[in-house]
Amino acid sequence: MAYVLSMLIVVIIAVLALLFLSFQRKQRKPAVFTEENYDLKAITIAEIDKMGDGSGFEMYLYRLLMELGYSGVYKTVGSRDFGADVVFTDHQGVRNVIQAKRYHVDNPVGISAVQEVFSCMRYYKAKRAIVIATAKFTEPCETLAGINHVKLLDRTDLINVIDAFRREDILIACNIIEEEPRMILESWSEANSGVLHEVRKDYKAEKYVRRVMGK
């Protein structure tokens, strides 16, 4: 009888331990970022960093833009989005396409983000393109964005938007999103001036071709 009782106690303790561990895992589990199950104002950059993949970040931005009062906000389908994750119309009536990049803080976003979001503008009939990232951008990415008038919002910008929204400074949050991107060319007329300058020529290739062609 004593043996059965001791075994029963062991089983009860084991079950309680398993229940406790299960509860602890649920407490530590990153939030599942669906449309219904979290308070948007409770989200900080720390919660975004815990997201399992980029879809949670896209959903967060989708909800955030609606909360900021933008119109025409919608999230694109997961596949065949042509480079845009979220679309919205700003307060000047201009349609914007956004590509969301949830990268590790030490992993800068590369040039492909600009290429993809810029190339999809005509498909979505948008006039502005934005890349919003949880990290910094590489120098080539910033250069291509500046030439093509693509707005880049890096981790610091995102934190500023989130903080402004959480303290209900909607105007500040919207101003960060809508301010003009950094431009490298003064205007498109400069790009179409008729004077064609070589940009980073491959002199090794040029030398090789001249040699094989006897020129």
Side-chain angles (χ1 to χ4, degrees):
M1 183 66 181
Y3 173 77
V4 173
L5 185 59
S6 63
M7 289 299 296
L8 182 60
I9 292 172
V10 169
V11 170
I12 292 172
I13 291 173
V15 170
L16 289 174
L18 288 172
L19 289 173
F20 178 76
L21 289 173
S22 176
F23 175 77
Q24 288 291 94
R25 289 195 190 100
K26 287 180 180 179
Q27 291 295 100
R28 292 194 299 264
K29 185 178 179 182
V32 179
F33 289 81
T34 60
E35 190 171 352
E36 299 84 12
N37 73 342
Y38 64 91
D39 177 9
L40 203 66
K41 287 189 176 178
I43 303 302
T44 66
I45 195 68
E47 280 70 45
I48 292 174
D49 287 338
K50 296 175 185 175
M51 292 178 181
D53 56 34
S55 61
F57 184 41
E58 294 168 15
M59 181 63 76
Y60 170 79
L61 292 176
Y62 171 42
R63 288 191 56 194
L64 177 65
L65 291 166
M66 289 193 291
E67 289 289 339
L68 290 175
Y70 289 114
S71 62
V73 183
Y74 67 91
K75 186 179 177 299
T76 63
V77 294
S79 59
R80 292 177 61 85
D81 61 19
F82 298 99
D85 298 313
V86 183
V87 179
F88 75 100
T89 300
D90 64 28
H91 293 117
Q92 284 70 49
V94 176
R95 174 173 281 186
N96 292 245
V97 285
I98 293 177
Q99 183 166 121
K101 291 295 185 183
R102 195 197 68 80
Y103 279 26
H104 188 274
V105 63
D106 296 323
N107 183 19
V109 178
I111 199 170
S112 62
V114 172
Q115 293 170 330
E116 291 168 13
V117 76
F118 181 76
S119 65
C120 78
M121 288 174 64
R122 291 187 66 180
Y123 177 81
Y124 289 100
K125 297 180 174 61
K127 294 183 178 179
R128 295 183 79 233
I130 306 173
V131 181
I132 303 180
T134 57
K136 297 292 184 182
F137 296 97
T138 64
E139 186 177 343
C141 182
E142 291 182 352
T143 299
L144 191 64
I147 290 172
N148 289 288
H149 209 196
V150 173
K151 174 75 176 177
L152 299 181
L153 293 172
D154 65 10
R155 185 179 183 87
T156 300
D157 297 318
L158 176 61
I159 291 172
N160 290 337
V161 170
I162 293 171
D163 289 347
F165 168 70
R166 294 182 71 210
R167 63 177 184 266
E168 299 187 358
D169 286 336
I170 304 302
L171 182 60
I172 292 177
C174 292
N175 284 343
I176 295 171
I177 293 170
E178 295 186 42
E179 66 183 359
E180 285 297 308
R182 169 178 171 263
M183 285 286 288
I184 291 179
L185 293 178
E186 291 295 325
S187 66
W188 282 111
S189 62
E190 181 181 342
N192 299 317
S193 66
V195 179
L196 300 178
H197 302 285
E198 293 88 358
V199 181
R200 297 192 67 181
K201 290 176 64 174
D202 188 340
Y203 290 103
K204 289 183 179 179
E206 188 175 278
K207 184 177 180 181
Y208 168 78
V209 169
R210 285 178 176 174
R211 186 175 71 251
V212 299
M213 294 180 68
K215 294 184 178 181

